[in-house]
């Protein structure tokens, strides 16, 4: 059951239907869009949704799907069921092109794997196009849709005769016109005209008797008449007779064609239905892709579990406005929480949320994919009943509240555990106390009947009822009470404040009136509303913290992974340095010995001649300079590869560079500065650079870590050196941290900022200070009435990492500035 009769217009489905019709290619598709209806058969719906989603994949990832010549031919075929009837030429032409389209669709799916489009390929089973029919049409109709001259021998003969007669008429007319021009009857620039399908000559009224023939027309001025010469009248009459013969022959051809294809009419009609189904599926798929829609998981039991649900019409409207974006909703109705009572300020999105539920559920049960996130689930409801808008009627003597009560009566009577009920502004329209009581009673009765539903309200008693009743859950539309603007985000589990006083204050209602209103509302109501606002504020704060923590954890995981790679690579650096130094030293030694021996040999051979001895010494000096250059280059390379290490670590590595260390023999010996160690918790390697307060300070990469001695294991220096090279190859610097350090400012100015925004800025300052390890902060809040100062200090007292806070020195600002010292 769908209630009321104007359900579709109330939730906006009539516009969805129009969007579908705009995307159809044929009258069959438009007809199917008009006939789309609510269904509760899960098997049928699952198949329709699967077919639609498969078609969405085709439109996104396939090319050249047939999308031309979708013509309806059912009327044509049904007409020729009766013997002796025949189709029009245009109808045959449309039939041919449509059958070719169906054939192209079948070929398209025949060439695709069945696992890719199982439902669509199943639709193709049993569809026939009969090439005989297409070939028969080709013999009659040409590619422009005209009957071929050779469609029959008699037709060819008739058309040839018509052509010959027309040529004869043309010749005779031109001859008569030329003679009339010579005789001065008509002007030399006069040409043959056509009137009533006949060739005529324009002649002045005064000369009309000079050309014998039939007058067919006269000019508007009456000065010219159009005469068909009597010499061509008989020829034109014979042409008309031939044209009648042509029409009779075409009728014979079409009748014979109808007789030939009459046995295939039922199969051809099935092909037409198939083409209409494809057209409609294509329209649904186009709309689905435009909305980024998917097929949700269908469940037989009534329920809703949607993530990132978006109102389709709002999405389309915002898509045309730059900078506007729909806020998605997370909505869940299950057996535990069947009824969602949404509260919050006016214009906060309550009604949009309600209509989103109604529209998306109706779309699903009409076989349309919906804009929700992957993994969302939709149950199947037997009924969808709504009470949205004003249904007052003068004719039926109904007030607004009476119409609402009639709807409530209908809901209570027909609602069941398979019904989805949507009520906007529940209980309004009458005296608030009485209306709220009736609404609460109706809500409890609907809950007893185990209906599912979404209700919007401002009534506090309904919020209390939802908080204390099993099966009903509160929901709130988020609102920024400092910026005084809605956030359009649904938060379940708690009621929302209407922010009536805040909105009234913002628009300028006098404070005295607001104070009087607060007293009249009563302390309990004001306190309850304040608690709701505090809860909303705290929730937003902790949500922001949670997001920051997730981002920091993700960044930390990346850093840990990078540093582990660096440490593992550092193990081979020392060994590589030593091996390279040994090899180069050996090569150097060989070259040096060879150079010295050559120098001594040359001096001996020349018997110590002065010039030769001088030349030999210059070559030896040149060789020495080259060696010094190579040594300097090698040292620079080592320094570059150790650039990420601290000074102490570099000294230790450089000390190891030219020294061979034996394997560790006594691992129980007390640890000392300079020992190579492994941290047993993280397996990271490093060098002890300091021992203080019974703790060792280990340098690993660019980090210095304080570690208890029992968490360290002595290793050989060769093992440490082996790890250094690979660590240096993967050295990375954290650009985010570097940028934070560069842009960090230890002082903020929050004068004139609202309370919650000021707290957010202080929180961010502390977070940044922790990140960059800066302990001393200054908060400039001004003196004023001391309200902002007190708020900030109350918050600082609750933060664990705040060691102390105090007023700034009187010369530097005094109580207008709070100095904070962090303890970490």
């Amino acid at each position: 059951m769908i209630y009321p009769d104007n359900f579709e217009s109330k939730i906006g489905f009539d516009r969805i239907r129009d969007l579908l019709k705009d995307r159809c290619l044929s009258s069959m598709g438009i007809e199917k869009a008009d006939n789309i209806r609510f269904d509760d058969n899960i098997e049928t719906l699952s198949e329709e949704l699967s077919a639609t989603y498969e078609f969405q994949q085709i439109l996104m990832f396939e090319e050249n799907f047939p999308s031309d010549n979708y013509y309806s031919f059912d009327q044509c075929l049904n007409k020729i069921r009766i013997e002796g009837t025949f189709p029009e030429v245009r109808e045959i032409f449309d039939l041919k092109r449509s059958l070719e389209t169906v054939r192209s669709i079948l070929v398209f799916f025949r060439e695709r794997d069945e696992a890719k489009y199982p439902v669509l390929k199943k639709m193709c089973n049993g569809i026939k196009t009969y090439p005989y029919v297409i070939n028969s049409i080709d013999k009659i109709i040409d590619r422009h849709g005209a009957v071929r001259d050779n469609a029959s021998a008699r037709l060819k003969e008739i058309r040839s005769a018509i052509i010959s007669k027309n040529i004869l008429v043309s010749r005779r007319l031109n001859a008569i016109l030329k003679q009339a021009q010579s005789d001065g009857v008509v002007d030399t620039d006069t040409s043959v005209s056509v009137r009533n399908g006949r060739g005529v000559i324009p002649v002045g009224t005064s000369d009309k008797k000079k050309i014998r023939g039939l007058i067919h027309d006269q000019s508007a001025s009456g000065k010219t008449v159009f005469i068909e010469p009597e010499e061509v009248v008989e020829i034109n009459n014979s042409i008309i007779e031939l044209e009648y013969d042509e029409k009779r022959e075409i009728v014979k051809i079409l009748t014979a064609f109808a007789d030939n294809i009459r046995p295939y009419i039922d199969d051809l009609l099935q092909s037409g239905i198939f083409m209409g189904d494809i057209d409609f599926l294509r329209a649904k798929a186009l709309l689905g892709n435009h909305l980024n829609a998917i097929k949700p998981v269908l469940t037989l039991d009534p329920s809703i579990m949607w993530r990132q649900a978006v109102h389709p019409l709002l999405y389309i409207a915002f898509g045309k406005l730059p900078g506007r974006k729909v806020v998605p909703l997370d909505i869940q109705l299950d057996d535990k929480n069947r009824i969602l009572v949404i509260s919050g300020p006016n214009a906060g999105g309550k009604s949009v949320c309600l209509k989103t539920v109604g529209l998306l559920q109706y779309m699903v049960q009409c076989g349309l994919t919906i804009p929700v996130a992957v993994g969302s689930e939709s149950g199947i409801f037997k009924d969808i009943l709504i009470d949205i808008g004003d249904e007052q009627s003068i004719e039926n003597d109904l007030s607004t509240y009476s119409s609402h009560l009639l709807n409530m009566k209908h809901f209570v009577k027909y609602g069941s555990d398979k019904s989805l009920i949507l009520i906007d502004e529940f209980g309004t329209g009458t005296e608030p106390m009485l209306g709220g009581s009736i609404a609460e009673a109706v809500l409890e009765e609907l809950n007893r009947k185990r209906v599912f539903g979404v209700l919007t309200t401002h009534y506090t008693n309904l919020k209390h009822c939802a908080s204390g009743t099993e099966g009903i859950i509160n929901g709130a539309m988020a609102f920024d009470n400092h910026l005084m603007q809605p956030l359009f985000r649904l938060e379940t589990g708690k009621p929302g404040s209407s922010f009536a006083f805040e909105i009234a204050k913002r628009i300028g209602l006098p404070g005295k009136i607001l104070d009087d209103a607060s007293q009249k509302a009563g302390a309990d109501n004001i306190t309850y509303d304040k608690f709701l606002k505090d809860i909303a504020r705290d929730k937003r704060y902790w949500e922001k913290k949670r997001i920051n923590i997730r981002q920091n954890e993700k960044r930390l995981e990346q850093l840990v992974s990078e540093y582990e790679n660096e440490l593992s690579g550092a193990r081979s650096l020392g060994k590589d340095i030593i091996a390279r130094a040994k090899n180069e030293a050996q090569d150097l030694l060989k070259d040096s010995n060879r150079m010295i021996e050559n120098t001594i040999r040359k001096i001996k051979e020349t018997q110590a001649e002065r010039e030769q001895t001088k030349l030999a010494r210059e070559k030896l000096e040149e060789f020495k300079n080259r060696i010094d250059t190579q040594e300097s280059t090698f040292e620079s390379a080592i320094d570059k590869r150790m650039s990420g290490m601290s000074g102490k670590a570099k000294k230790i590595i450089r000390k190891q560079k030219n020294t061979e260390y034996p394997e560790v023999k006594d691992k129980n010996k007390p640890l000392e500065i300079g020992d190579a160690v492994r941290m047993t918790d993280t397996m990271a390697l490093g060098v002890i650079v300091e021992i203080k307060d019974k703790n060792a300070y280990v340098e690993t990469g660019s980090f210095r870590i304080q570690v208890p001695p029992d968490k360290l294991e002595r290793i050989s220096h060769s093992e440490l050196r082996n790890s250094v090279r690979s660590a240096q190859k993967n050295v990375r610097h954290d650009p985010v941290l570097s940028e934070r350090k560069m842009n960090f400012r230890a002082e903020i100015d929050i004068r004139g900022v609202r309370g919650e925004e000021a707290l957010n800025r202080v929180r961010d300052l502390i977070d940044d200070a922790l990140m960059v390890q800066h302990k001393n902060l200054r908060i400039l809040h001004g003196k004023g009435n001391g309200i902002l100062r007190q708020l900030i200090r109350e918050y600082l007292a609750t933060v664990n990492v705040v060691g102390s806070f105090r007023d700034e020195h009187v010369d530097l600002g005094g109580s207008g500035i709070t100095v904070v010292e962090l303890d970490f």
Side-chain angles (χ1 to χ4, degrees):
M1 177 192 299
I2 298 299
Y3 178 87
D5 293 337
N6 59 349
F7 175 91
E8 290 190 357
S9 62
K10 280 184 171 292
I11 64 169
F13 188 78
D14 55 339
R15 294 170 61 190
I16 296 293
R17 193 189 300 273
D18 290 339
L19 291 172
L20 287 173
K21 291 162 66 174
D22 290 342
R23 288 164 171 78
C24 289
L25 299 171
S26 68
S27 59
M28 302 95 73
I30 293 174
E31 183 179 355
K32 289 181 180 296
D34 281 328
N35 293 331
I36 190 171
R37 291 293 179 267
F38 177 84
D39 194 355
D40 59 4
N41 186 307
I42 189 170
E43 294 181 358
T44 303
L45 289 174
S46 179
E47 189 164 307
E48 287 185 11
L49 288 168
S50 295
T52 302
Y53 192 64
E54 287 177 13
F55 218 114
Q56 289 181 229
Q57 306 307 304
I58 289 175
L59 296 179
M60 286 191 293
F61 304 115
E62 302 281 2
E63 294 181 356
N64 303 321
F65 185 86
S67 58
D68 294 323
N69 300 325
Y70 282 68
Y71 298 102
S72 175
F73 50 79
D74 55 336
Q75 292 183 353
C76 167
L77 294 177
N78 286 321
K79 179 175 67 175
I80 63 175
R81 282 183 182 275
I82 303 172
E83 291 189 12
T85 58
F86 60 90
E88 298 294 332
V89 174
R90 183 68 187 181
E91 291 176 334
I92 295 181
F93 188 46
D94 291 344
L95 173 62
K96 173 199 171 186
R97 290 185 290 175
S98 297
L99 291 178
E100 288 175 341
T101 299
V102 173
R103 182 173 61 186
S104 299
I105 294 171
L106 296 177
V107 170
F108 177 89
F109 285 114
R110 192 179 303 127
E111 294 174 349
R112 267 67 181 177
D113 185 12
E114 186 171 359
K116 198 171 184 181
Y117 309 115
V119 178
L120 293 176
K121 291 204 69 166
K122 181 182 176 182
M123 288 177 58
C124 298
N125 294 339
I127 303 301
K128 301 176 182 178
T129 57
Y130 291 105
Y132 167 76
V133 175
I134 297 177
N135 293 335
S136 297
I137 297 175
D138 281 335
K139 293 178 180 179
I140 300 173
I141 307 294
D142 62 20
R143 62 189 182 91
H144 300 295
V147 178
R148 294 180 182 274
D149 293 344
N150 59 355
S152 72
R154 175 57 181 159
L155 182 63
K156 187 175 183 179
E157 178 183 339
I158 292 171
R159 287 185 172 176
S160 296
I162 290 174
I163 292 172
S164 299
K165 295 286 186 182
N166 280 323
I167 292 173
L168 181 59
V169 168
S170 177
R171 288 175 179 173
R172 293 302 303 144
L173 279 173
N174 286 326
I176 294 171
L177 176 63
K178 189 175 181 180
Q179 183 62 45
Q181 290 173 339
S182 299
D183 295 340
V185 177
V186 298
D187 295 334
T188 56
D189 59 348
T190 302
S191 60
V192 174
S193 299
V194 176
R195 289 293 186 273
N196 301 322
R198 302 264 189 148
V200 294
I201 297 176
V203 180
T205 305
S206 58
D207 297 323
K208 63 182 180 180
K209 293 184 179 181
K210 295 180 180 180
I211 298 180
R212 300 179 61 186
L214 298 177
I215 298 175
H216 282 275
D217 198 3
Q218 189 175 17
S219 66
S221 63
K223 295 181 179 180
T224 304
V225 293
F226 298 90
I227 300 174
E228 178 186 10
E230 67 177 357
E231 295 182 40
V232 298
V233 169
E234 195 63 31
I235 304 175
N236 280 329
N237 288 340
S238 62
I239 290 175
I240 291 175
E241 291 178 1
L242 288 172
E243 288 175 346
Y244 283 129
D245 290 342
E246 178 188 26
K247 291 179 181 179
R248 285 190 290 269
E249 182 62 23
I250 290 175
V251 168
K252 289 181 182 179
I253 294 170
L254 297 178
T255 303
F257 169 77
D259 294 339
N260 289 336
I261 70 166
R262 192 167 288 118
Y264 312 111
I265 286 179
D266 290 334
D267 288 336
L268 294 176
L269 286 173
Q270 193 62 37
S271 296
I273 294 173
F274 169 76
M275 186 170 60
D277 291 337
I278 292 295
D279 183 22
F280 183 50
L281 279 174
R282 178 182 174 276
K284 292 198 294 182
L286 285 170
L287 180 61
N289 284 343
H290 182 60
L291 297 174
N292 295 320
I294 66 163
K295 174 194 173 184
V297 177
L298 293 185
T299 60
L300 183 60
D301 297 329
S303 63
I304 289 176
M305 197 284 287
W306 295 336
R307 295 188 300 107
Q308 304 291 299
V310 172
H311 193 289
L313 300 177
L314 206 58
Y315 177 83
I316 293 173
F318 280 12
K320 301 175 182 177
L321 302 174
R324 295 296 300 275
K325 186 177 181 181
V326 181
V327 178
L329 304 170
D330 292 336
I331 303 170
Q332 183 166 354
L333 301 178
D334 51 33
D335 194 56
K336 182 179 178 182
N337 296 312
R338 289 172 283 100
I339 300 177
L340 175 63
V341 178
I342 304 176
S343 50
N346 288 320
K350 300 190 300 298
S351 297
V352 172
C353 179
L354 182 87
K355 291 182 179 181
T356 299
V357 174
L359 180 56
L360 294 189
Q361 186 61 38
Y362 192 74
M363 288 174 64
V364 167
Q365 294 195 232
C366 285
L368 298 174
T369 54
I370 56 175
V372 294
V374 175
S376 299
E377 298 180 5
S378 285
I380 303 300
F381 294 92
K382 293 285 186 183
D383 316 297
I384 302 183
L385 315 172
I386 65 170
D387 178 26
I388 300 175
D390 188 354
E391 293 294 335
Q392 64 176 328
S393 171
I394 296 176
E395 292 81 2
N396 297 324
D397 196 24
L398 282 179
S399 67
T400 299
Y401 188 62
S402 298
S403 69
H404 288 317
L405 286 181
L406 284 176
N407 289 335
M408 297 307 109
K409 174 185 174 182
H410 193 89
F411 296 166
V412 171
K413 182 178 181 179
Y414 295 104
S416 70
D417 60 351
K418 295 186 181 301
S419 299
L420 176 63
I421 293 178
L422 308 173
I423 305 175
D424 194 23
E425 299 294 347
F426 193 26
T428 57
T430 189
E431 197 277 322
M433 185 67 70
L434 301 180
S437 300
I438 294 174
E440 184 175 350
V442 171
L443 177 60
E444 291 174 346
E445 178 61 23
L446 293 175
N447 187 42
R448 279 193 291 271
K449 294 175 75 69
R450 302 189 64 78
V451 304
F452 292 77
V454 178
L455 296 75
T456 68
T457 187
H458 288 286
Y459 287 171
T460 302
N461 67 310
L462 296 182
K463 302 176 189 178
H464 285 304
C465 178
S467 299
T469 306
E470 185 178 353
I472 309 176
I473 186 172
N474 270 307
M477 301 307 297
F479 189 82
D480 190 323
N481 60 327
H482 290 292
L483 298 177
M484 297 304 295
Q485 63 184 22
L487 302 177
F488 304 109
R489 186 176 65 249
L490 175 64
E491 299 174 345
T492 57
K494 66 175 184 63
S497 169
S498 296
F499 292 95
F501 284 92
E502 287 76 10
I503 295 174
K505 183 177 180 181
R506 177 165 186 176
I507 65 175
L509 205 62
K512 183 179 183 304
I513 295 177
L514 295 178
D515 293 339
D516 292 342
S518 298
Q519 294 178 3
K520 294 179 184 297
D524 291 341
N525 289 330
I526 297 297
T527 302
Y528 179 75
D529 199 57
K530 181 178 182 300
F531 285 157
L532 291 180
K533 289 181 285 185
D534 291 342
I535 291 171
R537 181 196 65 200
D538 293 343
K539 183 173 183 180
R540 286 198 301 274
Y541 168 72
W542 290 113
E543 281 182 351
K544 183 177 179 180
K545 280 294 182 187
R546 177 169 52 83
I547 293 172
N548 289 336
I549 289 171
R550 285 182 178 177
Q551 292 174 345
N552 291 334
E553 284 180 348
K554 185 177 181 180
R555 185 62 189 164
L556 182 59
E557 289 175 359
Q558 294 175 348
L559 290 175
V560 169
S561 176
E562 290 178 3
Y563 292 141
E564 284 179 350
N565 292 334
E566 292 172 4
L567 289 174
S568 63
R571 295 173 183 171
S572 58
L573 177 59
K575 185 176 180 179
D576 178 66
I577 293 173
I578 294 171
R580 182 177 172 185
K582 283 184 176 180
N583 292 334
E584 294 193 6
Q586 289 175 358
D587 293 340
L588 179 61
L589 182 60
K590 292 178 181 178
D591 291 343
S592 299
N593 290 336
R594 186 169 59 252
M595 187 67 183
I596 292 171
E597 289 174 358
N598 289 338
T599 302
I600 294 172
R601 180 176 53 80
K602 287 183 179 180
I603 290 174
K604 287 182 179 181
E605 290 176 354
T606 58
Q607 296 181 356
E609 288 185 9
R610 184 172 181 180
E611 291 299 325
Q612 291 297 328
T613 302
K614 182 180 179 182
L615 183 60
R617 285 180 177 176
E618 288 177 354
K619 289 184 178 181
L620 189 60
E621 186 66 23
E622 181 182 347
F623 177 69
K624 175 178 176 296
N625 293 334
R626 188 169 68 252
I627 291 173
D628 290 340
T629 302
Q630 292 177 354
E631 181 179 0
S632 176
T633 302
F634 181 59
E635 289 294 334
S636 298
I638 294 174
D639 290 339
K640 184 177 180 180
R641 299 174 73 180
M642 296 193 302
S643 59
M645 299 182 180
S646 68
K648 288 187 177 181
K650 289 179 182 178
K651 289 180 181 179
I652 293 170
I653 293 296
R654 288 191 180 281
K655 184 178 180 181
Q656 297 167 3
K657 185 174 63 174
N658 297 314
T659 309
E660 281 296 328
Y661 290 90
E663 294 297 320
V664 177
K665 295 181 179 179
D666 185 3
K667 294 189 177 182
N668 296 322
K669 180 182 176 181
L671 296 172
E672 299 176 351
I673 295 176
D675 284 346
V677 292
R678 176 187 292 110
M679 288 173 262
T680 57
D681 286 345
T682 64
M683 302 306 291
L685 307 184
V687 178
I688 296 178
V689 295
E690 186 179 357
I691 298 177
K692 183 179 179 182
D693 298 331
K694 298 182 180 181
N695 285 329
Y697 289 82
V698 179
E699 186 85 40
T700 172
S702 58
F703 288 87
R704 178 182 292 188
I705 304 173
Q706 180 181 343
V707 187
D710 59 350
K711 299 292 185 181
L712 296 174
E713 176 185 3
R714 181 184 280 108
I715 62 173
S716 66
H717 283 275
S718 61
E719 183 177 352
L720 175 64
R721 292 196 304 273
N722 289 340
S723 70
V724 176
R725 179 179 61 180
S726 57
Q728 291 301 313
K729 288 181 179 178
N730 298 307
V731 169
R732 297 287 187 273
H733 297 287
D734 184 358
V736 176
L737 185 58
S738 299
E739 184 178 356
R740 276 180 178 263
K741 288 182 178 180
M742 183 180 299
N743 298 328
F744 176 72
R745 297 291 181 270
E747 178 179 316
I748 60 171
D749 185 352
I750 56 173
R751 289 176 294 180
V753 179
R754 292 179 179 271
E756 185 173 351
E757 178 62 23
L759 289 180
N760 288 335
R761 293 192 186 182
V762 172
R763 293 185 191 107
D764 293 339
L765 175 65
I766 294 175
D767 289 344
D768 291 342
L770 288 173
M771 181 67 73
V772 301
Q773 297 290 289
H774 192 98
K775 292 187 176 183
N776 299 319
L777 308 174
R778 298 175 80 250
I779 303 172
L780 176 58
H781 44 65
K783 296 179 181 179
N785 296 325
I787 297 175
L788 189 57
R789 173 178 177 271
Q790 180 182 355
L791 179 65
I792 295 300
R793 296 195 174 191
E794 286 177 355
Y795 167 70
L796 292 174
T798 65
V799 180
N800 293 334
V801 296
V802 175
S804 65
F805 53 86
R806 66 180 187 278
D807 286 345
E808 179 59 279
H809 190 276
V810 66
D811 293 337
L812 300 176
S815 61
I817 299 176
T818 296
V819 177
V820 182
E821 292 187 3
L822 303 183
D823 183 15
F824 52 82

